[in-house]
Amino acid sequence: MEYVSPEGLRLDGRRPTEMRQLRAEVGVVAKADGSASFEMGNTKVIAAIYGPREVQNKGQQMNDQALVRCEYSMANFSTGDRMRKPKGDRRSTEISLVIRQTMEACILTHLMPRSQIDIFVQVLQADGGTRSACINAATLALADAGIPMRDLVTSCSSGYLNSTPLLDLNYVEDSAGGPDVTVGILPKLDKVTLLQMDAKLPIDIFENVMQLAIEGCKAVANYIREILLENTKNLEFRRGV
């Protein structure tokens, strides 16, 4: 199947190095300490943060840092196939772990000892890149909850199809079986906190594909900063500052 036309356009009309449209909103769950929704094209996710609060299971309490917990789930209506997925299926458990480890890399957990932070992420609509969208939503929600972070973590994926590096894969491109790389970075510190890849790539092509994903992460970081700035201005306006 041809994923890039002779004119250099992809199936959804984007150029190889073009991202899908980003949309985000902060404070979408009233009861949560922090929440956000994040859309990358047709992929829509929502994240809610509860904490820092008292550790429920005292056996897990750490005296020098906060306990970070994460739960990832997909709504039954999020994909085309209506399969009822058990709550603890392996994919969800793995993605929960990936999101938790990525977020732990940016949260200043040592400032909140003997407490726990719960991150809940749910996919409302899946069209490729759910992992990245969840990390971006969780970052926004953590910022909304006022939890101290080293830097924003942003994530984006890229792949290699028809001998062309492609940025921000949608579901059709993602399920084509080509190599795809998911990257998470701390943009200001210029550090990589997440790198996942399935299938093999020659090192020179891998560097191009990864660099493309990092550019995507930086674009997401700029967008998230704009959203947070806009949110702060709205709060100031409401308080009459």
Side-chain angles (χ1 to χ4, degrees):
M1 187 172 166
E2 199 176 67
Y3 293 97
V4 182
S5 70
E7 292 78 38
L9 295 175
R10 290 151 72 169
L11 297 173
D12 54 6
R14 289 184 290 156
R15 302 198 174 280
T17 57
E18 195 178 329
M19 287 187 79
R20 294 176 288 181
Q21 189 179 3
L22 301 176
R23 281 192 207 89
E25 197 181 331
V26 175
V28 290
V29 181
K31 287 275 171 71
D33 292 312
S35 60
S37 66
F38 200 90
E39 298 178 25
M40 298 174 88
N42 290 329
T43 296
K44 298 182 183 178
V45 302
I46 193 163
I49 307 291
Y50 293 89
R53 57 185 178 182
E54 199 176 336
V55 180
Q56 288 157 346
N57 181 356
K58 288 285 184 262
Q60 294 179 315
Q61 181 171 298
M62 290 182 275
N63 290 329
D64 57 344
Q65 64 183 69
L67 169 72
V68 179
R69 295 182 0 178
C70 178
E71 190 178 301
Y72 162 95
S73 60
M74 287 181 84
N76 287 332
F77 52 79
S78 62
T79 54
D81 48 337
R82 295 285 179 272
M83 286 179 0
R84 282 196 67 80
K85 294 183 180 70
K87 195 158 183 266
D89 70 302
R90 277 176 62 180
R91 184 174 179 275
S92 296
T93 310
E94 185 229 338
I95 294 179
S96 298
L97 181 67
V98 166
I99 297 170
R100 180 173 68 80
Q101 288 174 336
T102 308
M103 289 309 168
E104 273 182 336
C106 81
I107 298 172
L108 296 167
T109 50
H110 64 278
L111 296 180
M112 299 163 283
R114 295 182 294 283
S115 65
Q116 83 175 36
I117 299 164
D118 291 318
I119 305 170
F120 295 96
V121 196
Q122 178 146 39
V123 177
L124 302 179
Q125 194 171 297
D127 182 30
T130 51
R131 210 167 294 209
S132 295
C134 287
I135 288 169
N136 296 332
T139 298
L140 256 178
L142 283 166
D144 183 40
I147 287 174
M149 295 190 279
R150 287 183 181 83
D151 193 0
L152 297 170
V153 184
T154 56
S155 177
C156 192
S157 66
S158 60
Y160 191 72
L161 288 169
N162 295 146
S163 310
T164 315
L166 304 177
L167 179 64
D168 192 17
L169 305 183
N170 63 25
Y171 180 74
V172 178
E173 293 163 341
D174 198 16
S175 47
D180 68 279
V181 178
T182 302
V183 178
I185 66 164
L186 300 170
K188 274 190 175 163
L189 301 175
D190 210 19
K191 285 187 176 175
V192 173
T193 60
L194 167 70
L195 176 60
Q196 280 192 312
M197 175 172 156
D198 31 19
K200 290 181 180 174
L201 271 176
I203 190 75
D204 52 334
I205 296 173
F206 168 72
E207 281 173 1
N208 291 340
V209 172
M210 183 170 167
Q211 195 51 46
L212 190 59
I214 288 173
E215 294 305 317
C217 292
K218 287 179 178 170
V220 172
N222 290 337
Y223 179 71
I224 284 179
R225 282 195 198 102
E226 280 172 29
I227 292 291
L228 290 171
L229 199 63
E230 198 179 307
N231 186 51
T232 309
K233 282 177 182 165
N234 288 343
L235 287 172
E236 285 178 347
F237 178 71
R238 276 188 222 137
R239 288 178 183 170
V241 176

